[in-house]
Amino acid sequence: MGALKKLRVLDFTQMMTGPMATMMLGDFGADVIKVEAPEGDPFRASGEVTLGGDGVFFLSMNRNGVVLDLKTEHGRDMVKALAAEADVLVENFRPGLAEKLGLGYETLQALNPRLIYCSITGFGRDGQDRDRPALDQVVQAESGLMQITGTAQSGPLKTGFPFSDLVTALLATTGILNAVIARHESGVGQRVDLSMLDASIFSIAPRDVYYAATGKTPPRTGNEHWDIVPNNTYATRDGREVMVISINDKFWAILARALGLAEMSTDPLFATKAARLKNRHVLDERLAAAFRTRTLAEWESSLREAGAIYGAVRTWDEVFHDPRVAGKLVHTIDHPAAGPLAVLKNPLQFSATPTAIRRPPPQLGEHTESVLANPSAAWVPR
């Protein structure tokens, strides 16, 4: 049984950031009720692939739900009844909308002093940008993340996955759990505020200290590193790629020997970090030529045996057919409309309070009638 088995979470979030946070709370054992408008979470229609009428993106990040129309007095009354019994409420409404609906923190906290009220916004609840729409790519741009992603030739690039959405979800979950611990001591809840912009800027560490010390923006170096050489991907004889990193002279010597280039580890052009940085282009050319002489499988064997720091650039077929992934991280759940659905499990491993996926992604309004009939009974585990 999960550690949060007694925690009741009311989820008013949509798209990706909020649902991922509440999904993790649910995997930790919390009883989560996702509240959607009659038209449903917009993420249900997002993406090019659907199963059972819902987008696969939605199906990957949601577990349970009801439909309540917050534009009606009855819908708002139902929310208040649910909030009175809840431990946590998570919302990512446009700033000010919850207050306009009469469902803001002050109102619900007066009904339930133990309530932990987590607000996730794009740019914060105050300031000139508070009402701007915020999606992951926009926040990556505004936060400076895109400024350090890519190469000098490519220009700024977004990451290959929704980084700002996901890092905000992780920090929101951390904040909620911190508030739960604080409530254990004080007996009262509190408001937890987090913006996607702040979360994304926070994630720039440790490059923040570099900027503060030098006044310089770290350059866009692609797979290279501005302060570590070698730190790059190299093509093998069979057209694959391998990532290698030598964080100090010790690991540089290990790599050089594994590549059959032991003499480079003592060559004054490459023996020290300063020398490798100065001569990075010559070093890269020699390593690239060496890697082209053997296949990825051959290099993996040599690099592993030598103790080098390396990683093959895996295809998604390789990742998801790896027994370590297929047997440990992928879980198949039965969905009444989508059928068997393969999703990723929470990767945290607990010896006493294991995580679990207890419910499939919700169909729109799946539990609405039972909640409307008896809000208090909605919290009894189904």
Side-chain angles (χ1 to χ4, degrees):
M1 182 67 74
L4 303 186
K5 60 182 179 296
K6 295 183 179 180
L7 203 71
R8 298 169 170 180
V9 179
L10 196 53
D11 177 12
F12 287 95
T13 67
Q14 56 187 5
M15 298 300 287
M16 188 176 298
T17 300
M20 184 180 183
T22 58
M23 179 187 75
M24 287 190 290
L25 295 174
D27 289 348
F28 294 152
D31 193 18
V32 179
I33 295 179
K34 178 180 176 70
V35 179
E36 298 182 73
E39 62 273 18
D41 185 333
F43 219 36
R44 288 184 181 271
S46 182
E48 70 277 15
V49 178
T50 61
L51 293 173
D54 286 323
V56 292
F57 296 159
F58 174 87
L59 295 172
S60 72
M61 292 197 169
N62 290 275
R63 300 283 193 252
N64 196 31
V66 300
V67 167
L68 294 175
D69 189 349
L70 301 184
K71 296 178 182 178
T72 68
E73 184 176 356
H74 179 63
R76 294 191 293 273
D77 287 343
M78 295 305 300
V79 168
K80 291 177 181 178
L82 289 168
E85 301 287 337
D87 295 289
V88 177
L89 184 149
V90 189
E91 57 93 359
N92 63 351
F93 294 129
R94 186 178 71 253
L97 179 58
E99 288 76 12
K100 183 177 179 181
L101 294 171
L103 303 174
Y105 169 67
E106 288 77 11
T107 299
L108 298 185
Q109 196 269 345
L111 295 174
N112 180 2
R114 290 177 53 81
L115 183 66
I116 295 163
Y117 191 110
C118 179
S119 295
I120 301 173
T121 59
F123 299 100
R125 291 194 299 122
D126 302 306
Q128 65 177 6
D129 291 327
R130 55 169 279 169
D131 294 325
R132 286 176 55 192
L135 290 178
D136 175 86
Q137 298 94 320
V138 172
V139 176
Q140 286 195 43
E142 294 268 358
S143 65
L145 286 170
M146 286 180 62
Q147 195 58 244
I148 57 173
T149 306
T151 67
Q153 292 73 35
S154 72
L157 294 176
K158 69 177 183 63
T159 59
F161 67 103
F163 177 86
S164 292
D165 276 328
L166 301 187
V167 74
T168 305
L170 294 172
L171 287 171
T173 305
T174 302
I176 290 167
L177 295 178
N178 181 73
V180 169
I181 293 172
R183 191 183 66 179
H184 181 71
E185 297 293 330
S186 68
V188 297
Q190 61 182 298
R191 182 166 199 156
V192 180
D193 268 321
L194 180 64
S195 75
M196 292 175 64
L197 181 64
D198 289 350
S200 299
I201 294 173
F202 178 76
S203 74
I204 289 175
R207 291 166 176 82
D208 57 329
V209 179
Y210 171 88
Y211 174 74
T214 67
K216 299 178 181 178
T217 301
R220 287 188 292 275
T221 55
N223 293 331
E224 297 182 57
H225 193 284
W226 73 85
D227 196 45
I228 300 174
V229 176
N231 184 112
N232 208 348
T233 53
Y234 300 93
T236 60
R237 191 177 71 193
D238 52 344
R240 299 298 302 276
E241 297 276 344
V242 59
M243 181 84 197
V244 296
I245 308 167
S246 295
I247 58 175
N248 53 34
D249 294 345
K250 169 188 171 181
F251 281 101
W252 163 235
I254 289 172
L255 176 64
R257 288 196 298 270
L259 294 175
L261 302 171
E263 71 281 359
M264 289 183 66
S265 66
T266 56
D267 187 325
L269 290 175
F270 314 113
T272 65
K273 174 182 176 180
R276 291 192 295 277
L277 286 170
K278 181 179 179 180
N279 299 292
R280 69 159 66 228
H281 297 300
V282 176
L283 185 149
D284 258 347
E285 288 175 1
R286 294 193 186 180
L287 265 57
F291 274 105
R292 286 195 296 267
T293 64
R294 302 173 71 182
T295 66
L296 175 62
E298 291 171 328
W299 281 124
E300 282 205 88
S301 178
S302 297
L303 294 169
R304 183 183 295 111
E305 183 178 350
I309 306 175
Y310 80 96
V313 180
R314 302 289 187 207
T315 67
W316 279 40
D317 281 344
E318 289 172 326
V319 170
F320 285 100
H321 286 90
D322 186 324
R324 295 172 298 178
V325 177
K328 183 179 179 181
L329 284 178
V330 178
H331 179 74
T332 300
I333 54 180
D334 291 321
H335 188 276
L341 187 66
V343 298
L344 289 171
K345 295 190 292 187
N346 192 295
L348 285 164
Q349 301 291 309
F350 299 99
S351 62
T353 56
T355 65
I357 298 175
R358 297 176 294 123
R359 301 174 187 137
Q363 294 180 281
L364 187 60
E366 183 176 355
H367 300 290
T368 299
E369 294 303 321
S370 61
V371 171
L372 292 176
N374 189 348
S376 297
W379 296 112
V380 178
R382 288 176 286 273

